[in-house]
Amino acid sequence: MTTTTPVRRGLREFYEDPAVPVASGSSRSLRQARMLAAALGPAADGTKTVLDIGCGDGTAAATAAPFLAGHRIVGVDWSQDALRRAHVRLPYTVRGELTEGGLPFRAHAADAVLFSEVLEHLVDPDSALEEIRRVLRPGGHLMLSTPNLAAWYNRALLLAGVQPVFSEVSLRAIHGRPGREVVGHLRLTTARALREFVTATGFEVVALKGAPFHGVPRPLRPLDRLACAVPSAASILLLHARRT
């Protein structure tokens, strides 16, 4: 008890800070939106409910909205500051947490869950995926994105003895890696680890794709886009899984 409470308080304070980034690149959001639209199909076949869990400022859901016309998108976040910003973009926003009582939705309430750049921030990812599985209907879709520990440039950085991009050792400052923003990453995965983790939690992996990272220096962005053809080396992992 004495070891976990200060950590949780620190994280809450960190994520309620308006200066902390709560949105990632548009290229990732667009690719993820197209994957979700293809999975759900048109609203003419029936209106579906999509929960954007960890919605941040609502950018990802707002990007997906034109592809999901007629479907219902609900933004969910634990940060009141993020929800205030998300409400500008989304008609429905709800405060909720993946742990400590769970999400404020009944079992099987959602047809799909957007889980964009959230996994890497979690203290207890196992319980989070179990809670997502609870609120998804059988056969429902999980669209998850997360940074790739084994991104092509991280492999080179590790060989040079440099802390990988996306990884952090402090909530206060950057130490030993490229970049200038502290974003609160606690966990990172490779493509193989992500597949195994999601499968072990009761999902069937449908597809795993790559997306570029908006923070890559401009001269290297063409190479970063090329790396998306090999998801295991891409900057961002985009996973589509189905609830079993």
Side-chain angles (χ1 to χ4, degrees):
M1 293 294 292
T2 56
T3 58
T4 58
T5 301
V7 173
R8 287 179 182 269
R9 285 178 182 170
L11 288 174
R12 285 184 182 277
E13 291 169 358
F14 178 81
Y15 290 119
E16 289 290 0
D17 183 351
V20 173
V22 291
S24 58
S26 59
S27 180
R28 188 272 306 159
S29 297
L30 282 169
R31 292 177 186 225
Q32 194 172 36
R34 293 188 181 104
M35 290 171 68
L36 178 56
L40 288 181
D45 296 337
T47 299
K48 305 293 196 307
T49 297
V50 179
L51 303 181
D52 182 5
I53 297 176
C55 65
D57 66 2
T59 298
T63 300
F67 298 90
L68 303 173
H71 295 307
R72 183 184 303 107
I73 306 175
V74 181
V76 185
D77 208 290
W78 76 346
S79 167
Q80 294 285 16
D81 178 74
L83 287 175
R84 280 192 291 270
R85 286 184 272 174
H87 194 60
V88 176
R89 296 181 172 94
L90 302 174
Y92 307 107
T93 57
V94 176
R95 189 175 189 279
E97 300 189 27
L98 286 163
T99 56
E100 299 183 4
L103 296 167
F105 303 101
R106 59 178 173 79
H108 307 167
D111 298 283
V113 164
L114 270 173
F115 202 46
S116 305
E117 317 297 302
V118 179
L119 185 68
E120 62 272 17
H121 299 272
L122 298 178
V123 174
D124 185 359
D126 302 273
S127 295
L129 263 289
E130 288 170 357
E131 180 63 3
I132 288 174
R133 189 175 186 276
R134 182 188 70 82
V135 300
L136 273 174
R137 65 167 174 80
H141 303 280
L142 170 63
M143 295 290 172
L144 184 157
S145 66
T146 191
N148 183 11
L149 175 61
W152 60 275
Y153 40 81
N154 279 346
R155 301 181 188 205
L157 289 172
L158 278 170
L159 284 174
V162 177
Q163 185 85 7
V165 175
F166 308 126
S167 66
E168 294 181 323
V169 298
S170 171
L171 291 178
R172 300 178 182 178
I174 297 297
H175 298 291
R177 72 158 171 84
R180 290 174 291 182
E181 290 184 330
V182 177
V183 291
H185 290 176
L186 304 179
R187 299 180 183 276
L188 291 175
T189 72
T190 63
R192 178 176 178 177
L194 184 62
R195 280 181 176 273
E196 291 183 5
F197 171 59
V198 170
T199 301
T201 317
F203 290 88
E204 175 190 2
V205 175
V206 177
L208 182 64
K209 299 183 179 182
F213 174 47
H214 66 281
V216 168
R218 190 174 297 276
L220 297 177
R221 289 179 186 176
L223 183 57
D224 194 41
R225 288 192 292 270
L226 284 174
C228 294
V230 184
S232 62
S235 285
I236 306 295
L237 300 172
L238 301 178
L239 181 136
H240 172 202
R242 187 178 292 115
R243 183 199 189 279
T244 55

